[in-house]
Structure formats: C-alpha cells, structure tokens
Amino acid sequence: MTEPAFPPLCETEIPAEPLTRRQSVAVRVGSGPGAVTVGGGAPVVVQSMTNTDTADIDATVKQVAALAQAGSELVRITVDRDEAAAAVPKIREKLDAMGVSVPLVGDFHYIGHKLLADHPACAEALAKYRINPGNVGFKEKKDKQFGAIVELAIKHDKAVRIGANWGSLDQDMLTELMDENARAARPVDARAVMREAMARSALLSAARAEEIGLNRDRIILSAKVSGVQDLISVYRMVGRRSDYALHLGLTEAGMGSKGIVASSAALGILLQEGLGDTIRVSLTPEPNGDRTLEVQVAQEILQTMGFRTFVPLVAACPGCGRTTSTVFQELARDIQGLIRDRMPEWKKVYPGVETLNVAVMGCIVNGPGESKHADIGISLPGTGETPAAPVFIDGKKAMTLRGEGIAQDFEKIVEDYVARRFGGKSDASAAE
C-alpha cells in the first residue's frame, strides 16, 4: 500500500485567524447595577421579550423576572396603548423592589410618539425605545412621528433601537427601488431589491435620528427578516456600511426545532463573521409554554461557539445499541436540570462555576476517555458490562460507583466538587 504524503508536524496545523469583531459604537442601556453595554467590543448581550399583556402588571413582572433569572440581560415589553404605558413605571417599581434590575425596552408601533409624550413616567422608566421605521406612521406623518420619538429619547437620555422588519418594510422606499431596478440595464431579482430596501431603511433612519440630534452612542440597528440567507445578506450590508451597534435576530423563526435550527444557522454565521452586538432568538412557544427557552437557546448559541460562558457544559453520548438502558439518558437529563436549577445560587457564591465541564457517558467505548477530558465525568455501564460506574475528577479516576443509587451519588459528587473547586471548601473530599 502506498502511504499518503503528510506535511511535517510543524506544518500540520495552521492556526486559525483570530476572530475579529466588527468595530461598533458602544451603547449604554439603562443605569445602575443592571446597566448593559451593547457594542464597542462588549460581550454579545442576550435579550428576550415578554408575551404578556403589559397592562397586566403582575403577569408582566412575573415573566420579566423569570426571563432575567434565566439570563436575559435586556427584556422588551409591548407598549401599545395607554393602559400599557401607564403600567410601565409600576412594573419597573415592582421589579426594583424584587431586586430585578434588568433594563426594560419599550416596543412601540404607530402611536409610540403619543404614548411617550402622554406618559412621561413610562418614557423615564424604560431604558430603551424600539421603533420600526416602516410603521412609525404613514405618509406625511411618518417623518414627524419618527422625529417626535427621537426627540423624546434625547430628552430622557434613552437609547433607541431602530428596527426595520421584513413584514413592515417602508412601501414607498420599496416601490421607488423596484421602479429604479426595472429601469436598470441589468436588473436584479426582486428579493435582492427587498434586501437593499431593508438595509437602506435602517441606515437612512439612523442618519435621520442623528440629524435630529440623537448621538451615535444611543443608536442600535436591526434589520430582521424570516429567511436565513436573506438575514445574512442584509446584516452583511448594514455591517459594511456603518459602525452602529447591531441587534441580531431572525424574525418569526418558528416553533420548536425549526425555530431553533433556523436561528442557530443564521446567527451562527453572522457571529462568526464578527457581526452582532446583541441577539434575540424569537421562538414561538407552545401554548402556555416556557418563554425562557429562547433565552436558553441564545445562551447556548453563544457558548457553543465560544463567545461567552453562561452555564456548565454537560457532554453526553447520543446512545447506541450498547446503551439499551435509559440510565445514562436519565442521569444526563437530571444533571443538566440540577445545574440549571442551582446556577442562580451557584453564580452568587461560586465565581467561575460557569466554566465547569461535566460528562455523562453510556458505555466503555468512549466513556472513560471522554470523562477524563471533563472536569468531572462518569462512565455508566453499557449493555452486558459490569454494573460499575467509574468517576473521573480532574482527569483522574477518583472512585467507582455501584448499586441502585448511582445517580444520586453522582449528583452529590458534582455538588461537592463545585463547592470545593469554586468555593475553596474542603469537605467534598469525603466523597472521594
């Protein structure tokens, strides 16, 4: 057999180019302990949005608190009528009393200028205003109403997200570009024209806001569409043409795995290219479903790609014919649940715990090796294997668990390891 030619070991691996984040203007959102910096090289910020009626103060407070506890660093709420606007300062007060300092973003459409003017307490309680240039007003009122919101943002010293959206694109601009394209010697397809209109809508609106007097460090742009390739193209255009901080999100991503996959694909590509300063994963929840899932997905996108660290990672094998028992699946699920449940407390008392790596493996094939690579890992017995589960801590075999209580014993070992490593405690040694 003729062996293939390989390069010298010193040339085997060419170091990957270090990821260069697009340089953007830093925008401070909020004040006090909950303030967040978007852009300017700051870590990519995770945000989400409530789906409660904002006028229902208690329901909205409860959901905002849940989203914040899950890790949402900004939470957007709908402000669509007087009752909602009147509720905003009360929501802020209740959250502050609970110790929830997450900045609130007001989502305005059509009558935002009126609501902010009529409810100054609302305008003050919000940390940022989100306006859509496609539906801030119609015809001759559009520029006037857009300008009124910008002026109120200047008055109250608030950040503004100018968010163009595929579903509410400025029709006058789109018609003008379509006509221009039809007259061109080499016209492009209609979808390309729509992408150009999206980019221009966001950028022209930002320029208009600056003309009115809003500083660049108070402006965040977004240009959301529902198609993955369209989203990538639009944000590349906006990113090349400006240095505004960018909010990434695939609008109307969908429900369940479809929404998760589509958002992960689109945001993953853009983030890898250095685009994006804050993200939202817009998932359609199941009826009465948990809204915090979109926060978890956003965090996992950033953590999986190595941009941020939020929670300890749990590696688990997918299972095969060697793992006909469901024991390892149940343990992986339980350990993941334990970590998520304990993280709010762990983060307060164990700095750095989010960097923990745990492995729950199902048989001898890759179990011991994978477990050694984790901070703490367990290799459960596969089908026909000796009913014993070696536990590896910091790369070395520490003990072997046997019997019916393996799952409970391992959970205790994980708890003790966290306390010992991240809290400087020594009582965990008893487990070994």
Side-chain angles (χ1 to χ4, degrees):
M1 182 184 75
T2 303
E3 294 187 358
F6 295 110
L9 286 177
C10 61
E11 300 175 8
T12 297
E13 183 177 350
I14 299 175
E17 288 291 325
L19 177 66
T20 302
R21 290 275 301 280
R22 166 183 169 271
Q23 293 299 307
S24 61
V25 177
V27 179
R28 190 76 167 166
V29 181
S31 59
V36 173
T37 298
V38 177
V44 179
V45 172
V46 172
Q47 61 178 282
S48 56
M49 184 176 184
T50 60
N51 60 357
T52 57
D53 179 358
T54 305
D56 186 337
I57 295 171
D58 290 340
T60 302
V61 167
K62 181 179 179 181
Q63 192 172 88
V64 170
L67 290 167
Q69 183 174 16
S72 185
E73 294 157 307
L74 296 172
V75 177
R76 183 157 47 113
I77 59 177
T78 299
V79 187
D80 57 346
R81 63 193 196 281
D82 286 306
E83 292 81 1
V88 170
K90 298 174 183 176
I91 292 168
R92 180 72 273 167
E93 289 173 7
K94 287 202 168 193
L95 289 168
D96 289 342
M98 295 167 61
V100 179
S101 57
V102 63
L104 297 178
V105 180
D107 192 65
F108 294 99
H109 297 276
Y110 306 112
I111 60 169
H113 63 292
K114 185 176 185 303
L115 293 174
L116 286 168
D118 292 348
H119 298 272
C122 168
E124 187 58 38
L126 294 169
K128 185 174 72 168
Y129 309 154
R130 188 269 185 175
I131 55 178
N132 183 337
N135 61 21
V136 73
F138 300 102
K139 302 298 180 182
E140 67 279 355
K141 294 181 179 180
K142 180 174 63 177
D143 288 342
K144 181 179 179 181
Q145 293 175 184
F146 177 85
I149 296 177
V150 171
E151 288 171 355
L152 284 162
I154 295 170
K155 176 182 177 181
H156 293 280
D157 190 24
K158 304 297 181 180
V160 173
R161 172 159 72 94
I162 298 173
N165 193 288
W166 198 252
S168 50
L169 187 56
D170 185 324
Q171 293 303 302
D172 292 338
M173 175 185 294
L174 180 59
T175 299
E176 181 181 335
L177 288 177
M178 287 289 189
D179 290 344
E180 180 183 331
N181 184 57
R183 295 190 298 268
R186 299 177 62 183
V188 297
D189 66 81
R191 206 167 187 90
V193 177
M194 292 185 73
R195 291 195 291 265
E196 177 65 25
M198 281 286 296
R200 289 194 190 186
S201 177
L203 291 168
L204 288 172
S205 296
R208 171 65 177 146
E210 284 198 68
E211 288 177 3
I212 295 169
L214 189 65
N215 291 334
R216 297 176 73 77
D217 64 359
R218 310 307 282 151
I219 299 174
I220 297 172
L221 292 189
S222 67
K224 291 187 173 183
V225 302
S226 57
V228 170
Q229 296 296 343
D230 293 317
L231 189 86
I232 294 167
S233 295
V234 169
Y235 272 100
R236 282 172 174 167
M237 286 190 283
V238 174
R240 284 196 303 266
R241 300 176 190 180
S242 77
D243 62 355
Y244 295 111
L246 296 182
H247 167 111
L248 300 187
L250 188 74
T251 191
E252 290 95 35
M255 182 179 287
S257 61
K258 185 270 180 186
I260 293 172
V261 170
S263 294
S264 300
L267 272 57
I269 291 171
L270 291 169
L271 289 166
Q272 188 65 26
E273 293 181 2
L275 294 166
D277 302 292
T278 177
I279 66 171
R280 182 197 171 197
V281 175
S282 302
L283 297 180
T284 303
E286 298 286 345
N288 300 314
D290 188 353
R291 190 69 166 179
T292 62
L293 176 61
E294 66 176 44
V295 179
Q296 179 182 335
V297 173
Q299 289 182 330
E300 288 178 353
I301 290 172
L302 293 173
Q303 183 157 344
T304 300
M305 296 188 68
F307 294 114
R308 291 189 66 180
T309 304
F310 297 97
V311 296
L313 292 175
V314 178
C317 67
C320 66
R322 299 184 184 89
T323 56
T324 54
S325 168
T326 61
V327 173
F328 88 93
Q329 299 163 342
E330 293 163 358
L331 182 55
R333 177 200 62 200
D334 292 346
I335 290 296
Q336 188 75 66
L338 170 72
I339 287 170
R340 287 215 165 263
D341 290 344
R342 301 286 284 127
M343 273 304 289
E345 180 182 346
W346 281 356
K347 283 194 293 187
K348 294 177 183 177
V349 296
Y350 301 134
V353 68
E354 64 275 5
T355 63
L356 176 70
N357 286 301
V358 181
V360 179
M361 305 304 291
C363 78
I364 200 172
V365 174
N366 291 317
E370 190 71 38
S371 297
K372 287 178 183 177
H373 289 302
D375 296 317
I376 181 168
I378 185 170
S379 179
L380 293 161
T383 304
E385 293 179 15
T386 303
V391 174
F392 296 83
I393 297 177
D394 295 330
K396 298 178 180 179
K397 184 178 176 181
M399 67 201 75
T400 299
L401 301 179
R402 294 180 173 84
E404 296 296 323
I406 287 178
Q408 293 78 12
D409 290 345
F410 186 65
E411 288 185 19
K412 174 72 164 55
I413 291 167
V414 171
E415 287 261 17
D416 289 346
Y417 179 85
V418 167
R420 175 166 53 84
R421 176 177 169 185
F422 298 100
K425 298 180 180 180
S426 60
D427 57 347
S429 59
E432 299 176 29

